[in-house]
Amino acid sequence: MSDYMASATGGDDMKPEFAEYEKANRAAMEDPDDFDAWEKLVRAAEHLEGGLNRNSSPQAISATRSVFDRFLARFPLLFGYWKKYADLEFTIAGTEAAEMVYERGVASITNSVDLWTNYCGFKVETSHDPDVIRELFERGANSVGLDFLAHPFWDKYIEFEERLECEDKIVAILDRVIHIPMHQYARYFERFRQLAQSRPLEELLPSDTLAQFRQEVIAEPPAAVQAGQQQMKIERGELEIEREIRVRIDNFHLEIFSRTQTETTKRWTYESEIKRPYFHVNELDEPQLVNWRKYLDFEEVEGDFTRIQFLYERCLVTCAFYDEFWYRYARWMSAQEGKEEEVRNIYQRASMTFVPITRTGIRLQYAHFEEAQGRVDMSRAIHEAVLEQLPGHIETIVSWANLERRQGGLDAAIAIYRAQIESDKCDIYAKGALTAEWARLLWKVKGNVEEARQVYQKNHHWYLDSRYFWINYLQFEMEQPTNAEIETENAARIRQVVDDIRKKSHLPPMTIRDLTHFYMVYLLERGGKDSAKEYLLLDREVNGPFSVQSVNKAKLAEDGKESTTDRRLMMENGHPGVEIDEAAIVRGENPYTKYFQQQGEQPVPASSQVSSNILGDIEADALWRLGFC
C-alpha cells in the first residue's frame, strides 16, 4: 500500500485525499474493533482520485476493494455497505462484479430485507431473462419473506411481475403473502381479493380444495323458483355453479385473512417495541433485550419451527454481540431432531465472527459440542485457537486439561498444565492458578491428598502474588476430612497456610483480611481450647486500626521490623520528606517550621500544639500511599 501511495502521489507531495487515507488506514489497523475508524477509512477510500470510476488507477481500485473486504469481514451484517460496495463494483467493473458482491452480501446476512430488495431490483434492471430474475426473487422470498417488515421486498416482486403483465404470477405471490403475519397484510389481501374476482378458479385454490368446493356446490339442491301456483326447480348452469364456488372461495380467503389478522395482532406488541431492527456496534438498552427474550418465548410457545428459526435469525442481526442469544439459539436448535449441523453452524458463526474473543464461553461450549459429537480433534483445535488469541487464559486451559482427562486420563491433563506453566506465554498469576488446578486434579480425581499437598508446598514461594493459588491452597487444607485424633495436625497445617498468607504473600490487604476471616470462623467452629485467644489476636490484627496491625507494619518495613514502619510514619506525618524533631515536639515547638519555611509560608505560632486531626490522619495517609486503602 505504501508503494501505491508513493507512485500515486509522485513521492513526497502527497495529495490530501491520500494523506487522509493513510491516516485512516493506520487508525483502523491499530484498533480493528473501532467502528468509527473503519467508517472514516471507507469514506477516505471512496474519495481516492476524486471518486472511483472505470478510468481510475488499478492501485486506487485495489486499495478501495481491500478496504471494503476488510471492513465487511469484520462487520458482515452492515447491509448498507454491501450495497455501497456492489454499486462501486458496478461502476468500475460492471454487472458480474456487482453480482458477486451481492452474493457475498446475502450469504453474510441472509435475512436482510433491504439487501435482498436491492439485489433483486439490481437484477431486474440489468438482466433480460425473466426466469433468472424470478429465480432470484424466489431465493429472496425464502430468505426474508416471513419478516414482519418484508413489504418492500414483496412490493418489488409484484412490481416485476406487473412489468411482465403476468397476473397469474401476481395472484400466486399474493396468495402466499396473505398467509404471513406482517405489517401491511391488509393491503395485500385487498389486492388479492380484487384480482380473484376475474381470475380463473384454478389460480385461486389448490386443485383438491377446488374439487371439494365444486362437489359441495353440485350436491346442494337447486333453489326453487315460484311459477304461478307451482314451485319449480331449475337446474343450474356452469356459470351459476362458478358463481357459487367463487362465493365459497371468497369466504375461504376471508377466514385466512381473519387468522392472519389475529396472528399479526399477537406479534404487534413485540414488533412495536423493536427500536433497532438492524445491526449496529452500539449496545442495546435493557428493554430492547427483554423484548427480544419475550418475543422468542412467544414464538417458541406457538411452536412453528420455521417462524421460530426465522425470528432467531432476525434477533441475531440486532443482538449479534450478545452471546446469551447465541447460547439460546444453539440450545433450542439442539432440542430439535436431527439438527446437529444447524447447531454446529450456530456455534461457528458465533465463535468465528460475532462474539468477541474475550467472551470465551461460547467457544468452549462449541468445543464441548464437538467433543460430544465424537470430533475430539476439533474440540482440541478450538481450545488452541482461543489460546492463540488469549495466551494464558485460565478458563480455556482448565477446559482443555479436563478435555484431555476425559479422553486420555489424568496424566494427559497434567501434561497440559505442565506445558502451560512452563510456557513463557503465561504470566505468574496464570501459572499460580494452573498449579492450583493441577493440585486439585491430584486431590479430587486421583484421590492422593499428600501428592496434592506437595504441589502446593513446593510451589508456594513462586506464587506469592497469586490470589487464585492461595485461596485454593487454604480451601484444600480446610476441606480435608478430620476427626478428634487428627484435628490437631490438620489445624497446624491450616495455621501454617494462614501465616504464609499474612506474612509472606503479596496479596491485596482486602484479600488477606477475607481469607483470615475464613480462618477465624474455623477457629470458632473447629478450634481447640486456646482458639478464642488466637481469634481475638487475629481480630485485632485484621480489623483493628493500623497502629495495632503488627504483621502489616512489619511487612512494610525493609528490615521486617514493626518499629521501622512506626518511625517512618512519624517522619512522614502526612508530608513526604519532612523530618520531624521529636525533641522539638516535646518542647512544644511546631514540627513543621522547616517545611513552611521551604514553601515560603509563615509557620504556625510556636506555642500552638499539633492538631489531633493531623496526627489522626497519619495512618490513613500512609496506608493510601502504600496501597492499603
Side-chain angles (χ1 to χ4, degrees):
M1 195 59 64
S2 59
D3 293 341
Y4 158 57
M5 289 302 166
S7 62
T9 59
D12 296 332
D13 299 327
M14 184 177 288
K15 295 181 180 179
E17 67 264 25
F18 296 113
E20 184 66 25
Y21 174 89
E22 281 287 270
K23 179 181 177 182
N25 191 53
R26 284 195 299 270
M29 293 301 95
E30 289 172 2
D31 186 1
D33 293 329
D34 187 345
F35 180 74
D36 292 336
W38 279 107
E39 280 194 315
K40 291 179 181 177
L41 177 58
V42 171
R43 287 196 297 269
E46 290 176 325
H47 288 89
L48 290 176
E49 299 183 353
L52 295 185
N53 53 56
R54 291 180 183 271
N55 298 320
S56 298
S57 67
Q59 294 91 343
I61 292 173
S62 176
T64 304
R65 282 173 172 162
S66 173
V67 169
F68 273 100
D69 287 339
R70 288 180 287 141
F71 176 53
L72 289 169
R74 182 66 188 86
F75 303 104
L77 299 180
L78 293 169
F79 66 88
Y81 283 90
W82 284 110
K83 181 182 184 303
K84 185 178 288 191
Y85 192 8
D87 291 343
L88 175 68
E89 286 291 357
F90 181 69
T91 300
I92 62 179
T95 303
E96 291 185 6
E99 282 193 17
M100 290 176 62
V101 173
Y102 271 121
E103 284 294 336
R104 288 170 57 193
V106 296
S108 298
I109 176 170
T110 58
N111 57 342
S112 171
V113 174
D114 297 276
L115 189 57
W116 273 107
T117 303
N118 287 321
Y119 186 13
C120 291
F122 172 82
K123 195 73 171 178
V124 169
E125 299 299 328
T126 57
S127 175
H128 302 290
D129 188 335
D131 291 334
V132 171
I133 298 172
R134 194 170 284 125
E135 181 182 354
L136 183 64
F137 269 112
E138 282 301 309
R139 285 175 56 200
N142 292 330
S143 296
V144 301
L146 293 180
D147 197 293
F148 195 79
L149 299 175
H151 53 275
F153 171 82
W154 289 115
D155 288 344
K156 182 67 71 174
Y157 196 175
I158 293 170
E159 177 188 323
F160 161 71
E161 297 294 359
E162 284 175 340
R163 291 170 65 174
L164 299 177
E165 298 182 352
C166 297
E167 287 200 352
D168 58 328
K169 302 291 186 183
I170 297 173
V171 171
I173 294 171
L174 292 170
D175 191 26
R176 293 163 65 182
V177 175
I178 63 174
H179 290 79
I180 302 172
M182 59 191 304
H183 183 263
Q184 299 188 14
Y185 69 97
R187 175 166 65 87
Y188 293 108
F189 180 77
E190 289 300 324
R191 178 79 184 279
F192 175 78
R193 196 178 186 192
Q194 180 183 6
L195 288 176
Q197 295 175 3
S198 59
R199 300 306 302 170
L201 298 180
E202 292 76 13
E203 294 180 7
L204 306 179
L205 285 178
S207 57
D208 55 343
T209 307
L210 180 60
Q212 177 186 343
F213 281 6
R214 176 175 289 278
Q215 291 175 2
E216 290 175 356
V217 170
I218 294 174
E220 289 181 352
V225 178
Q226 189 74 28
Q229 300 295 323
Q230 296 181 344
Q231 287 188 341
M232 299 178 61
K233 293 184 177 180
I234 301 177
E235 293 295 329
R236 290 167 296 188
E238 184 60 32
L239 289 177
E240 182 67 19
I241 292 174
E242 180 178 329
R243 186 186 67 80
E244 294 187 20
I245 292 175
R246 286 188 181 276
V247 171
R248 287 177 178 266
I249 291 175
D250 190 54
N251 290 333
F252 175 79
H253 287 120
L254 281 172
E255 291 178 3
I256 293 174
F257 172 77
S258 179
R259 288 196 298 271
T260 303
Q261 184 179 50
T262 300
E263 294 301 314
T264 302
T265 302
K266 289 193 293 187
R267 290 165 176 80
W268 194 276
T269 301
Y270 306 106
E271 292 287 347
S272 63
E273 292 298 321
I274 298 175
K275 308 303 181 186
R276 195 178 80 192
Y278 52 86
F279 168 81
H280 200 280
V281 295
N282 293 340
E283 293 183 357
L284 289 165
D285 55 32
E286 186 61 24
Q288 291 284 288
L289 300 176
V290 170
N291 184 62
W292 279 113
R293 295 177 194 125
K294 291 181 178 178
Y295 200 176
L296 290 168
D297 288 341
F298 163 78
E299 284 293 3
E300 288 174 358
V301 170
E302 291 291 299
D304 185 319
F305 174 85
T306 304
R307 291 202 64 85
I308 298 169
Q309 184 180 27
F310 187 82
L311 184 63
Y312 267 111
E313 293 292 341
R314 278 185 65 197
C315 171
L316 285 168
V317 170
T318 302
C319 307
F321 289 160
Y322 293 84
D323 52 3
E324 69 164 284
F325 294 101
W326 291 103
Y327 276 118
R328 176 169 179 160
Y329 191 15
R331 288 161 179 160
W332 172 80
M333 187 65 76
S334 67
Q336 317 305 311
E337 190 69 29
K339 297 296 183 181
E340 289 78 13
E341 254 335 290
E342 286 81 355
V343 176
R344 178 174 289 111
N345 179 260
I346 293 168
Y347 281 127
Q348 287 177 346
R349 289 160 58 199
S351 302
M352 299 171 65
T353 306
F354 298 111
V355 179
I357 186 66
T358 51
R359 284 187 236 148
T360 58
I362 194 72
R363 292 164 174 79
L364 299 184
Q365 188 86 340
Y366 178 27
H368 301 332
F369 168 79
E370 292 292 11
E371 181 188 4
Q373 297 296 313
R375 303 177 66 186
V376 178
D377 288 342
M378 177 61 73
S379 182
R380 289 192 183 100
I382 295 169
H383 285 92
E384 291 173 351
V386 173
L387 290 174
E388 284 181 8
Q389 298 294 319
L390 299 174
H393 189 262
I394 297 170
E395 183 183 3
T396 302
I397 297 171
V398 172
S399 176
W400 188 6
N402 284 326
L403 164 68
E404 298 299 346
R405 180 192 57 78
R406 292 190 295 271
Q407 300 299 323
L410 183 63
D411 290 340
I414 293 176
I416 295 295
Y417 285 133
R418 283 183 178 275
Q420 293 296 321
I421 291 170
E422 294 170 1
S423 169
D424 57 1
K425 294 182 179 180
C426 287
D427 60 27
I428 198 67
Y429 303 100
K431 291 181 179 182
L434 298 179
T435 302
E437 291 296 331
W438 174 8
R440 187 195 304 277
L441 280 182
L442 296 172
W443 171 30
K444 295 288 188 179
V445 177
K446 190 175 183 179
N448 193 325
V449 174
E450 192 54 40
E451 196 171 341
R453 182 175 288 121
Q454 289 298 315
V455 170
Y456 279 118
Q457 291 179 346
K458 289 180 179 180
N459 292 282
H460 76 274
H461 62 286
W462 296 109
Y463 307 122
L464 299 178
D465 297 295
S466 176
R467 184 193 315 246
Y468 198 111
F469 179 90
W470 288 102
I471 290 174
N472 280 274
Y473 189 6
L474 180 60
Q475 181 186 28
F476 163 75
E477 292 294 3
M478 294 187 70
E479 289 189 7
Q480 296 309 315
T482 187
N483 55 48
E485 296 178 358
I486 63 173
E487 182 60 37
T488 302
E489 183 180 352
N490 283 348
R493 293 196 190 99
I494 296 170
R495 184 178 296 107
Q496 183 59 54
V497 175
V498 173
D499 284 346
D500 288 342
I501 289 172
R502 295 182 59 234
K503 298 177 181 179
K504 296 181 180 180
S505 78
H506 303 157
L507 300 180
M510 293 296 291
T511 301
I512 294 175
R513 187 183 70 176
D514 291 342
L515 293 178
T516 306
H517 284 166
F518 194 30
Y519 175 58
M520 289 164 65
V521 173
Y522 163 84
L523 289 174
L524 295 181
E525 293 181 349
R526 293 165 52 185
K529 294 180 179 179
D530 296 330
S531 294
K533 182 185 297 184
E534 186 178 358
Y535 172 90
L536 291 174
L537 174 63
L538 291 173
D539 177 68
R540 183 183 70 202
E541 283 281 338
V542 300
N543 298 323
F546 186 70
S547 60
V548 298
Q549 294 181 16
S550 57
V551 171
N552 280 338
K553 289 196 289 185
K555 288 178 70 175
L556 290 176
E558 292 78 1
D559 57 4
K561 295 180 180 180
E562 179 184 356
S563 58
T564 301
T565 299
D566 288 336
R567 286 196 302 272
R568 178 182 175 186
L569 290 172
M570 291 184 66
M571 286 181 63
E572 292 181 348
N573 200 23
H575 296 278
V578 179
E579 183 175 352
I580 297 176
D581 186 348
E582 294 185 15
I585 295 177
V586 173
R587 294 194 301 268
E589 297 176 2
N590 189 337
Y592 302 111
T593 299
K594 182 179 178 181
Y595 171 77
F596 283 121
Q597 289 173 345
Q598 291 173 344
Q599 302 300 315
E601 301 177 13
Q602 292 298 321
V604 178
S607 59
S608 62
Q609 298 296 313
V610 178
S611 166
S612 60
N613 288 334
I614 294 176
L615 292 176
D617 287 339
I618 293 176
E619 291 174 1
D621 182 67
L623 288 174
W624 180 81
R625 284 183 285 105
L626 296 173
F628 276 74
C629 291

